Amino acid sequence: MKKVIFALSLLALTLTSCGSKKKIAALEAQNKECQDLLNSTTVKLNLCLSEKDALSKQNDYLKQNNSDLINSSKEMTMLSTKGAQNLEKSLESLREKDLKITRLQDALTKKDSVTLALVTSLKSSVGISDPDVEINVEKGVVFISIADKLLFKSGSYVVSDRAKEVLGKVAKVINSRPTFECMVEGHTDNVPFTGNAVLLDNWDLSVKRSTAIIRVLTKDLGVKPSQLIAAGRSEFIPLVDNNSADNRAKNRRTRIVVLPKIDEFYEMIEKEMKNQKK
């Protein structure tokens, strides 16, 4: 009986052992399948994490780039606004310069008109037939040149009676232009002046002749002293070379320079500019 029971127990144990092996094998296969799935999932997870990191960096870059673009747009807007303002200022400056140029041209035109009227008046009063009196315009300035022989004797600064007749006509024109100034220039030739108790050289002679004419204009002909300027140029501004008696005679002369006051024209310009801005 005991043998039968032992045999049955051994058989049961064998059967049980065979069933456990099958379960273990199945579990191992299932475990391997799970492990493979886990490995595959881990690989996918790592790939997703890498992609997420790349996308995050790209997103940060795009955000920064967008911020830079916004700032750049703001700066461009500011620059455009500032550029427009600067352009407007430049245009305004150009308009002011154009206006100034126009005013200056108007003033110069007026000055030329005044000069032309003055020359016409002088030539009409003094006459253009006398070869010893020349009236011309250089750079907008009127010059009246009177030969030395018409005014003085050789080496003298005493004004002749004939000269007073011509100076009277000049004084009439000067008196009609009370705002003008006249510079009386004495010129000599290059023959050295020997000197006397009053005069030392040609400088003294040229200045003394200038002041002599000014005295005639003011004391005898009623010209305001404030309009006159005395000047002596000696021998140093010759018309021609002092190489002959005729040329030296041409260089001995007195020149009256009529000077319109340019300040008046600039005052006119400034006044018009101020009126334009109002």
Side-chain angles (χ1 to χ4, degrees):
M1 189 66 178
K2 289 181 178 180
K3 291 182 178 179
V4 173
I5 293 171
F6 177 75
L8 290 171
S9 300
L10 183 60
L11 178 61
L13 181 61
T14 302
L15 291 172
T16 302
S17 176
C18 289
S20 297
K21 286 182 179 179
K22 288 181 179 179
K23 288 182 179 180
I24 291 171
L27 290 171
E28 287 178 347
Q30 188 177 3
N31 180 60
K32 184 177 183 301
E33 185 180 349
C34 289
Q35 186 65 41
D36 290 342
L37 181 60
L38 176 62
N39 291 338
S40 176
T41 303
T42 301
V43 170
K44 290 181 179 179
L45 176 61
N46 290 335
L47 181 61
C48 287
L49 290 174
S50 297
E51 290 179 352
K52 179 186 176 184
D53 183 58
L55 289 173
S56 178
K57 290 180 179 178
Q58 186 176 6
N59 184 54
D60 291 340
Y61 170 77
L62 291 174
K63 284 182 178 179
Q64 182 62 43
N65 192 44
N66 184 57
S67 177
D68 292 342
L69 287 173
I70 291 172
N71 292 333
S72 178
S73 177
K74 289 180 180 178
E75 289 177 359
M76 288 297 292
T77 301
M78 292 175 64
L79 287 173
S80 298
T81 303
K82 190 173 182 180
Q85 292 173 348
N86 290 337
L87 180 59
E88 182 61 29
K89 289 180 180 179
S90 297
L91 290 174
E92 181 64 25
S93 177
L94 286 174
R95 284 192 289 269
E96 289 182 359
K97 287 181 179 179
D98 287 340
L99 183 58
K100 287 181 180 179
I101 290 172
T102 301
R103 300 306 182 195
L104 282 171
Q105 288 175 339
D106 291 343
L108 289 173
T109 300
K110 183 176 179 181
K111 179 177 180 293
D112 290 341
S113 299
V114 171
T115 301
L116 179 61
L118 179 61
V119 171
T120 303
S121 177
L122 281 167
K123 287 186 176 181
S124 175
S125 299
V126 178
I128 58 175
S129 59
D130 194 333
D132 295 324
V133 180
E134 293 183 2
I135 300 173
N136 52 46
V137 179
E138 295 178 15
K139 298 180 181 180
V141 180
V142 179
F143 297 93
I144 307 168
S145 186
I146 306 173
D148 179 70
K149 63 181 180 181
L150 190 64
L151 299 173
F152 308 100
K153 294 181 179 180
S154 178
S156 172
Y157 54 87
V158 177
V159 181
S160 67
D161 292 334
R162 185 186 174 195
K164 290 179 182 180
E165 180 182 351
V166 175
L167 292 176
K169 297 176 181 179
V170 174
K172 182 178 178 181
V173 177
I174 296 174
N175 289 332
S176 68
R177 303 289 193 280
T179 62
F180 285 17
E181 291 182 342
C182 295
M183 181 164 62
V184 181
E185 292 182 347
H187 295 261
T188 68
D189 58 25
N190 67 341
V191 176
F193 185 76
T194 55
N196 54 34
V198 179
L199 306 177
L200 298 179
D201 50 24
N202 282 334
W203 278 111
D204 279 355
L205 179 60
S206 63
V207 174
K208 197 68 175 175
R209 285 179 169 178
S210 171
T211 56
I213 290 175
I214 284 177
R215 288 190 183 92
V216 172
L217 290 172
T218 55
K219 293 182 178 181
D220 299 340
L221 302 172
V223 176
K224 292 189 299 183
S226 58
Q227 287 183 257
L228 301 176
I229 304 167
R233 308 302 296 269
S234 188
E235 64 199 64
F236 301 104
I237 313 291
L239 293 175
V240 292
D241 291 335
N242 286 290
N243 53 10
S244 68
D246 288 341
N247 282 356
R248 286 191 292 273
K250 290 179 181 178
N251 290 331
R252 295 192 301 270
R253 68 200 185 281
T254 296
R255 190 169 71 164
I256 300 175
V257 185
V258 184
L259 305 168
K261 288 190 175 179
I262 302 300
D263 291 347
E264 293 181 359
F265 297 109
Y266 285 110
E267 287 173 5
M268 177 194 71
I269 294 170
E270 291 176 0
K271 184 178 179 180
E272 292 184 0
M273 288 288 291
K274 290 178 181 178
N275 292 334
Q276 188 73 20
K277 292 180 180 179
K278 291 181 179 179

